[in-house]
Amino acid sequence: MTSSIEHRTINVNGINIHVAIKGPENAPVILFIHGFPQLWYSWRHQIEALSSLGYRAVAPDLRGFGDTDAPAEVTSYTVLHVVGDLIGLLDVVAPNQESVFVVGHDWGALIAWHLSLFRPDRVKALVNLSVLFNPRNPSRKVVATLKAVYGDDYYIIRFQEPGEIEAEFAEIGTEKVLKEFLTYRTPAPLFIPKGQGFNGKPLDTPIVLPSWLSEEDVKYYTSKYEQKGFTGGLNYYRNLDRNWELTAPWTGAQIKVPVKFIVGDQDLTYNSLGAKDHIAKGGFKRDVPFLQDLVVMEGVGHFINEEKPEEISKHIYDFFQKF
């Protein structure tokens, strides 16, 4: 299915970025931004669907992932670096399009919120999946707050110390780690206690793949993560406090682009960090005033664009058709 996708390497912002592209040359661009632990490949279904409907799908491996360069310094993975990469990429692949459509998932959603915050002039409309826009709290740093709420075994806290979780993942094995992440569908915060499986289950617990994830899919992810390692992706989490410091000028700023937000009710993100409350009490709509559509999909987990590819592609198409 992915054979007719064009793969290019483009040098922007001081690094080589691998990007998958499909669709008519001058068609409106949709920029797809993946999360962790994923790659451009997580958008394979949407690339096919949207390119066949008259859009040009552009899906990079973000810095640190897949076939894109991974700078050595932890500090090279802030939201400013990554948004800078994407602006540079758009200047090359869509030079005649002042603004483009954007779709983000997980960390990609977080990057898409920041792209919309920093450069709303470049975003025609946004469909974000899974991760809400959480405005910067000027009085609370991110990591200490998460630690106070969820403790030391919370996955984001376990990711903070460079090299530590990488060594544990190496012991468990790349394929097993990826299967653990990709099949995770507990509607609750994720904990990774040292020496145990996800949420403390025994490491030798067999993993059954869901119907939407094939062994072939896992093999592709595994080959890229074995080649690259997890460090690049983990470095995004290691910059949460640095992002908090760098984004101080945008304290109180709203997301001023048209938005559709979609989340599964079994998604860990929807069931932690007060997400439901934030939506119900109007905080999300206050921070994202041009939110036009909010969809909660029943019985769907975190990896929503892979689990429900046809529905997500239709949601994207229906929304972008308005513009």
Side-chain angles (χ1 to χ4, degrees):
M1 185 179 79
T2 57
S3 59
S4 60
I5 294 171
E6 179 194 353
H7 292 270
R8 289 169 63 186
T9 300
I10 297 172
N11 186 275
V12 294
N13 203 20
I15 63 168
N16 289 310
I17 294 181
H18 162 252
V19 60
I21 301 175
K22 187 169 183 176
E25 190 77 42
N26 294 313
V29 163
I30 302 177
L31 174 67
F32 290 97
I33 316 174
H34 71 80
F36 177 87
Q38 292 179 291
L39 302 162
W40 75 269
Y41 187 81
S42 65
W43 299 112
R44 60 198 177 281
H45 306 294
Q46 286 73 35
I47 292 170
E48 294 298 335
L50 277 303
S51 64
S52 73
L53 291 165
Y55 289 94
R56 188 159 170 81
V58 173
D61 283 334
L62 296 180
R63 68 164 57 206
F65 289 90
D67 294 320
T68 290
D69 287 351
E73 301 78 20
V74 174
T75 52
S76 295
Y77 293 83
T78 70
V79 287
L80 289 166
H81 288 91
V82 185
V83 170
D85 295 343
L86 297 176
I87 292 294
L89 181 68
L90 290 174
D91 287 344
V92 174
V93 300
N96 305 317
Q97 297 186 33
E98 199 176 299
S99 60
V100 301
F101 295 113
V102 179
V103 181
H105 172 255
D106 184 78
W107 257 104
L110 209 124
I111 296 300
W113 292 127
H114 283 91
L115 173 61
S116 303
L117 196 62
F118 302 155
R119 294 298 304 273
D121 58 305
R122 301 299 294 267
V123 181
K124 202 176 290 182
L126 169 65
V127 173
N128 251 350
L129 313 176
S130 177
V131 175
L132 289 169
F133 176 64
N134 266 318
R136 180 182 185 276
N137 183 331
S139 57
R140 283 212 307 261
K141 275 197 168 185
V142 182
V143 176
T145 304
L146 293 174
K147 195 170 181 169
V149 175
Y150 291 126
D152 289 340
D153 286 342
Y154 184 54
Y155 77 107
I156 292 175
I157 304 304
R158 295 278 278 117
F159 289 174
Q160 291 305 309
E161 187 52 49
E164 198 174 284
I165 198 80
E166 287 95 325
E168 291 178 44
F169 283 174
E171 227 165 278
I172 297 167
T174 304
E175 185 178 319
K176 171 90 175 177
V177 169
L178 288 165
K179 282 183 174 178
E180 285 271 18
F181 275 116
L182 295 169
T183 61
Y184 185 85
R185 56 181 304 116
T186 306
L190 168 59
F191 299 94
I192 310 179
K194 204 174 169 70
Q196 297 172 44
F198 285 25
N199 285 344
K201 68 180 182 193
L203 279 171
D204 55 5
T205 310
I207 296 173
V208 179
L209 295 186
S211 58
W212 54 267
L213 186 70
S214 69
E215 285 291 348
E216 191 189 354
D217 296 332
V218 173
K219 273 195 179 69
Y220 183 83
Y221 283 123
T222 303
S223 70
K224 295 300 175 187
Y225 276 90
E226 279 185 340
Q227 182 190 318
K228 199 65 139 209
F230 287 97
T231 300
L234 293 165
N235 283 343
Y236 285 63
Y237 296 92
R238 291 168 184 156
N239 279 282
L240 287 168
D241 280 348
R242 194 169 284 107
N243 289 336
W244 180 86
E245 291 172 9
L246 292 171
T247 56
W250 289 272
T251 304
Q254 294 171 308
I255 300 291
K256 292 287 185 70
V257 304
V259 173
K260 179 177 195 167
F261 182 75
I262 311 168
V263 66
D265 69 353
Q266 301 300 298
D267 193 326
L268 75 163
T269 63
Y270 186 59
N271 293 279
S272 54
L273 299 173
K276 288 178 186 171
D277 235 24
H278 189 51
I279 292 170
K281 291 181 177 167
F284 185 44
K285 179 69 177 162
R286 179 197 65 224
D287 301 325
V288 186
F290 304 144
L291 177 69
Q292 296 187 12
D293 217 350
L294 194 151
V295 181
V296 180
M297 293 176 75
E298 278 182 40
V300 182
H302 180 65
F303 298 99
I304 190 166
N305 47 313
E306 291 180 272
E307 187 178 338
K308 295 288 177 192
E310 285 161 18
E311 290 91 327
I312 293 299
S313 294
K314 186 175 178 351
H315 276 302
I316 294 167
Y317 179 75
D318 289 349
F319 188 58
F320 290 163
Q321 275 299 291
K322 297 177 180 179
F323 303 94

